[in-house]
């Protein structure tokens, strides 16, 4: 009886992360997870999976800063040492790059965090609480 409960409650992590990164429902992969830019729907429009249990909070923002910082800092160093552009040109290019990359990654990482929580049965996603 315990084995049956464990086997039905396990969910694959990587498919859920991929679906969440694509901003799709972690359960079915076809319904849109987001209602707006960062607003997660309460339920999936296709499979009716309850998504209201998510607790993404500041995690996606921290991950976005971490990724953008680790990508842009070496690029800034390499471009400054190799090409020596004017400071205003360098600032403009990297400011636009950082903002663009941050705006692209933030909703996708939020979807991945919600997908992670769904796959690991966190915060009420288990169903039988």
């Amino acid at each position: 009886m315990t084995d049956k409960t464990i086997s039905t409650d396990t969910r694959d992590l990587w498919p859920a992360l991929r679906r969440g990164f694509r901003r799709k429902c972690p359960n079915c992969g076809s319904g849109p997870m987001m209602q707006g830019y960062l607003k997660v729907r309460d339920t999936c429009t296709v499979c009716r999976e309850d998504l209201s249990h998510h607790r993404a909070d500041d995690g996606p923002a921290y991950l976005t800063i971490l990724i953008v910082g680790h990508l842009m800092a070496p690029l800034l160093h390499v471009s400054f040492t190799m090409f020596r552009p004017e400071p205003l040109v360098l600032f403009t290019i990297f400011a636009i790059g950082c903002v663009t990359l941050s705006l692209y990654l933030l909703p996708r990482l939020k979807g991945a965090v919600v997908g992670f929580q769904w796959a690991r049965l966190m915060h009420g996603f288990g169903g039988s609480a």
Side-chain angles (χ1 to χ4, degrees):
M1 184 171 180
T2 307
D3 294 333
K4 182 180 178 186
T5 306
I6 291 172
S7 66
T8 58
D9 286 343
T10 57
R11 299 174 178 166
D12 292 330
L13 176 64
W14 291 108
L17 286 176
R18 281 192 298 271
R19 291 172 183 159
F21 191 80
R22 290 188 343 246
R23 296 173 297 163
K24 300 293 183 183
C25 172
N27 186 36
C28 66
S30 59
M33 182 191 301
M34 301 293 186
Q35 187 172 357
Y37 180 66
L38 288 176
K39 174 80 170 126
V40 177
R41 295 179 187 274
D42 289 335
T43 58
C44 176
T45 57
V46 176
C47 69
R48 300 290 181 215
E49 176 74 23
D50 187 15
L51 300 174
S52 64
H53 303 294
H54 76 88
R55 295 272 183 198
D57 299 332
D58 292 335
Y62 290 134
L63 289 173
T64 300
I65 292 169
L66 181 77
I67 292 171
V68 171
H70 278 85
L71 287 175
M72 291 305 220
L75 286 175
L76 179 64
H77 175 70
V78 167
S79 65
F80 181 74
T81 56
M82 290 182 68
F83 305 115
R84 295 285 182 180
E86 292 293 320
L88 189 58
V89 172
L90 190 66
F91 167 75
T92 303
I93 290 171
F94 276 90
I96 291 171
C98 285
V99 168
T100 304
L101 189 57
S102 296
L103 290 174
Y104 175 78
L105 284 177
L106 188 59
R108 285 156 179 79
L109 290 174
K110 183 168 186 173
V113 167
V114 172
F116 179 83
Q117 292 174 356
W118 178 84
R120 293 295 181 228
L121 306 173
M122 297 169 67
H123 308 298
F125 278 118
S128 60

